[in-house]
Amino acid sequence: MKNEDKDNDTVHEILDKIRPHAAKLTFGSIVGYCSGAAAKKIGKALAVLGGLVFIAIQSASYSGYVSVDWKKLQDDAVSKVDVDGDGELTVSDAKVYWEKAKKILTLNIPSAGGFTMGFMYGLTYN
């Protein structure tokens, strides 16, 4: 490729424009983005699966095949995931789970400081 072809190449122009921002990318932010994107996909799949299970159980309940105590099910589920023991799922519970997940996902990662930013970006914009 001739030098003048390189100067007119769109990809080269884009890379030159993002060079100051690309230098700020770290390994931690890149794997954070990938982890956030994966978490979003997995979360959506689990939501669909959970919805299908609920529809099946509720349909069986409506048809009289089973009887479900939804209040007891809710109380049991909340008690299993409520880490601060207040009997409710709150932001403080989410913060505890986030800190646990972040500790696992950033263990021994060089430049893990950008992980959270990358994770949130991947979760939001993917």
Side-chain angles (χ1 to χ4, degrees):
M1 192 179 234
K2 294 185 209 174
N3 258 354
E4 58 189 54
D5 288 342
K6 286 182 181 178
D7 292 337
N8 294 329
D9 186 13
T10 305
V11 173
H12 283 267
E13 290 175 21
I14 292 171
L15 290 174
D16 286 337
K17 286 181 183 178
I18 67 167
R19 183 179 306 197
H21 303 292
K24 294 178 185 173
L25 288 177
T26 64
F27 180 73
S29 63
I30 293 168
V31 296
Y33 174 82
C34 294
S35 298
K40 184 174 184 176
K41 300 286 184 193
I42 292 168
K44 284 183 176 184
L46 290 175
V48 168
L49 181 63
L52 289 172
V53 168
F54 171 76
I55 290 170
I57 293 171
Q58 190 64 5
S59 296
S61 178
Y62 180 80
S63 298
Y65 291 109
V66 296
S67 178
V68 181
D69 184 353
W70 290 111
K71 178 67 174 142
K72 180 169 177 13
L73 186 67
Q74 175 186 342
D75 292 344
D76 289 349
V78 168
S79 70
K80 296 287 185 202
V81 294
D82 177 31
V83 290
D84 61 6
D86 65 356
E88 298 177 348
L89 293 178
T90 59
V91 173
S92 64
D93 295 318
K95 287 179 181 179
V96 170
Y97 282 113
W98 167 246
E99 290 302 320
K100 286 180 181 181
K102 188 170 72 168
K103 184 177 180 181
I104 292 168
L105 295 173
T106 60
L107 180 68
N108 295 329
I109 299 290
S111 66
F115 180 86
T116 300
M117 180 208 56
F119 186 89
M120 296 312 280
Y121 193 79
L123 195 63
T124 304
Y125 295 108
N126 185 12

